[in-house]
Amino acid sequence: MGQKVNPTSFRIGSTFSWKSRWFANPSDYSDRVVEDYTVRKFLNDKLISAGVTNVEIERSLKAIKVILFVSRPGVVIGKGGANLEVIKKEIERILNVSKLQKDKVKIDLRVEEVRKPDLSSKLVAERIVNQLIKRFPHRRAVMQALEKTMQAGAKGIKIQLSGRINGAEIGRTEKYFQGSVPTQTIRANIDYFQVPARTRSGYVGIKVWIYKGELV
């Protein structure tokens, strides 16, 4: 059996940077990690229709910068920025729970537009999940994703389905390729995401690798 490694963590420090950038004392570290996880979960659940691809968090002594990368920024901002203020207040509530007034942090929420959503492995995987849950033929869903991603300018894409595909009694794994995906090249810009599809007939795991070219 092959040794597997997450393509993103494999390249952190050389190709990619951390999604959470801050320093904490050992006694506070676990609390900060839980806060970051809670904020990301809230944003992904709240803004599911906005096409969230990534959430980056930077901390200083009295401020926290949250950078949202979305395919539809208008959904996040809302009319006159009203929705943005609601989201910011909810993040403040999550981060300032059980804290004294003097220790409360200031939230800086920024929204960045993803101009090519078909090059985001997260959005591609979530689209396949929705199609499988609606009993869409899995091969057609995967082939459409391959075609759209390559047309968007990707160098290559790999999609793997594993589990009770198409309601089969025995789980199996299917892999689909188009173009090239050099998984062992550290300088390769590979966008990776994995997510489960909880269909009526069972669990299907979905993994997506998108190769965007080499970083200089």
Side-chain angles (χ1 to χ4, degrees), residues 67-168:
I67 307 171
L68 267 172
F69 294 87
V70 297
S71 60
R72 292 183 289 276
V75 177
V76 181
I77 298 172
K79 189 174 182 180
N83 197 36
L84 198 64
E85 288 300 319
V86 172
I87 295 171
K88 185 184 293 187
K89 288 181 181 179
E90 184 62 24
I91 294 176
E92 287 178 349
R93 187 193 65 80
I94 293 172
L95 296 177
N96 291 315
V97 170
S98 73
K99 288 188 178 180
L100 299 175
Q101 185 70 27
K102 64 178 181 179
D103 295 329
K104 289 200 171 186
V105 295
K106 180 182 177 182
I107 306 299
D108 181 14
L109 183 60
R110 301 187 181 182
V111 181
E112 299 287 343
E113 182 182 3
V114 177
R115 299 191 179 278
K116 294 184 177 180
D118 287 322
L119 290 180
S120 169
S121 60
K122 183 176 184 290
L123 298 183
V124 171
E126 288 176 347
R127 188 189 306 136
I128 295 174
V129 167
N130 293 331
Q131 289 174 323
L132 294 183
I133 291 175
K134 294 176 182 176
R135 306 177 74 91
F136 199 76
H138 71 282
R139 282 194 181 88
R140 190 184 301 174
V142 171
M143 291 305 174
Q144 285 181 358
L146 293 175
E147 185 178 343
K148 287 183 178 180
T149 302
M150 293 302 291
Q151 288 177 352
K155 301 291 184 181
I157 177 173
K158 178 171 72 172
I159 298 176
Q160 176 179 304
L161 306 182
S162 182
R164 297 192 60 183
I165 301 171
N166 207 25

Side-chain angles (χ1 to χ4, degrees), residues 2-211:
Q3 303 299 314
K4 307 298 187 299
V5 64
N6 187 294
T8 303
S9 62
F10 181 57
R11 293 170 174 81
I12 284 181
S14 57
T15 305
F16 301 136
S17 180
W18 299 95
K19 295 182 179 179
S20 292
R21 295 182 286 275
W22 43 265
F23 174 81
N25 294 320
S27 58
D28 299 328
Y29 183 84
S30 59
D31 293 334
R32 300 292 178 269
V33 172
V34 172
E35 286 177 357
D36 283 10
Y37 170 79
T38 307
V39 169
R40 285 195 172 93
K41 188 175 186 305
F42 162 72
L43 291 173
N44 281 297
D45 293 343
K46 174 79 173 178
L47 304 173
I48 191 169
S49 61
V52 179
T53 63
N54 192 16
V55 179
E56 295 184 357
I57 300 175
E58 297 179 1
R59 291 175 182 261
S60 61
L61 289 176
K62 291 295 181 181
I64 298 178
K65 183 192 293 184
V66 180
I67 307 171
L68 267 172
F69 294 87
V70 297
S71 60
R72 292 183 289 276
V75 177
V76 181
I77 298 172
K79 189 174 182 180
N83 197 36
L84 198 64
E85 288 300 319
V86 172
I87 295 171
K88 185 184 293 187
K89 288 181 181 179
E90 184 62 24
I91 294 176
E92 287 178 349
R93 187 193 65 80
I94 293 172
L95 296 177
N96 291 315
V97 170
S98 73
K99 288 188 178 180
L100 299 175
Q101 185 70 27
K102 64 178 181 179
D103 295 329
K104 289 200 171 186
V105 295
K106 180 182 177 182
I107 306 299
D108 181 14
L109 183 60
R110 301 187 181 182
V111 181
E112 299 287 343
E113 182 182 3
V114 177
R115 299 191 179 278
K116 294 184 177 180
D118 287 322
L119 290 180
S120 169
S121 60
K122 183 176 184 290
L123 298 183
V124 171
E126 288 176 347
R127 188 189 306 136
I128 295 174
V129 167
N130 293 331
Q131 289 174 323
L132 294 183
I133 291 175
K134 294 176 182 176
R135 306 177 74 91
F136 199 76
H138 71 282
R139 282 194 181 88
R140 190 184 301 174
V142 171
M143 291 305 174
Q144 285 181 358
L146 293 175
E147 185 178 343
K148 287 183 178 180
T149 302
M150 293 302 291
Q151 288 177 352
K155 301 291 184 181
I157 177 173
K158 178 171 72 172
I159 298 176
Q160 176 179 304
L161 306 182
S162 182
R164 297 192 60 183
I165 301 171
N166 207 25
E169 290 294 328
I170 300 176
R172 67 179 188 272
T173 299
E174 292 186 7
K175 296 180 181 180
Y176 302 86
F177 298 86
Q178 198 160 331
S180 63
V181 183
T183 55
Q184 299 302 312
T185 307
I186 294 181
R187 64 179 178 273
N189 182 8
I190 295 181
D191 191 10
Y192 171 78
F193 192 75
Q194 64 182 50
V195 64
R198 295 176 175 86
T199 65
R200 293 182 182 180
S201 55
Y203 187 105
V204 179
I206 300 169
K207 295 181 179 180
V208 178
W209 295 257
I210 297 178
Y211 175 45

